[in-house]
Amino acid sequence: HPLFEADEDDITLVLPVTPWEAALGESVEVQTLGGKVNLKIPAGSQNGKRLRLKGRGLGNGDQFVMLKLVNPPIESDADKAAYEALKEKFSFNPRDSMARRV
């Protein structure tokens, strides 16, 4: 199946999510080998987080859902303004932890 990567009996699905779904937490519909199910994304999730769907893999395996944060494209001045507002609101720099390691 083109959506899944197999590792023995376990399978992985990469799930694109919006930043607000990851930050705020959300229930989203995901595809499994047996059909679609609702998955609760925990609030505060980060890119690359793996969530487990027990028993949803091959045989006795599990399905893992890896979150892939996808930013909305800037298609208008209003979109750009929304990003600028976020930039002003948060004093967050994801590279700060790198400076402490040097």
Side-chain angles (χ1 to χ4, degrees), residues 14-22 47 67-73 83:
V14 175
L15 181 69
V17 296
T18 63
W20 49 89
E21 289 171 329
N47 189 56
L67 302 182
K68 177 184 176 186
L69 269 63
V70 179
N71 291 317
Y83 276 112

Side-chain angles (χ1 to χ4, degrees), residues 41-95:
I41 298 171
S45 292
Q46 296 289 326
N47 189 56
K49 180 172 183 68
R50 284 177 38 137
L51 304 171
R52 179 177 167 214
L53 296 172
K54 186 175 172 82
R56 292 284 183 163
L58 300 167
N60 293 324
D62 299 323
Q63 176 172 330
F64 293 93
V65 177
M66 184 177 298
L67 302 182
K68 177 184 176 186
L69 269 63
V70 179
N71 291 317
I74 296 176
E75 297 177 340
S76 69
D77 289 342
D79 295 345
K80 184 175 181 182
Y83 276 112
E84 291 290 342
L86 284 172
K87 179 180 173 182
E88 294 297 320
K89 172 68 178 159
F90 294 98
S91 61
F92 174 69
N93 183 340
R95 296 169 299 282

Side-chain angles (χ1 to χ4, degrees), residues 87 91-102:
K87 179 180 173 182
S91 61
F92 174 69
N93 183 340
R95 296 169 299 282
D96 281 347
S97 64
M98 295 173 74
R100 291 190 286 263
R101 293 182 185 168
V102 177

Side-chain angles (χ1 to χ4, degrees), residues 21-59:
E21 289 171 329
L24 301 173
E26 191 80 30
S27 285
V28 297
E29 195 172 76
V30 296
Q31 185 68 48
T32 70
L33 294 175
K36 294 181 180 179
V37 299
N38 285 323
L39 173 69
K40 174 67 175 148
I41 298 171
S45 292
Q46 296 289 326
N47 189 56
K49 180 172 183 68
R50 284 177 38 137
L51 304 171
R52 179 177 167 214
L53 296 172
K54 186 175 172 82
R56 292 284 183 163
L58 300 167

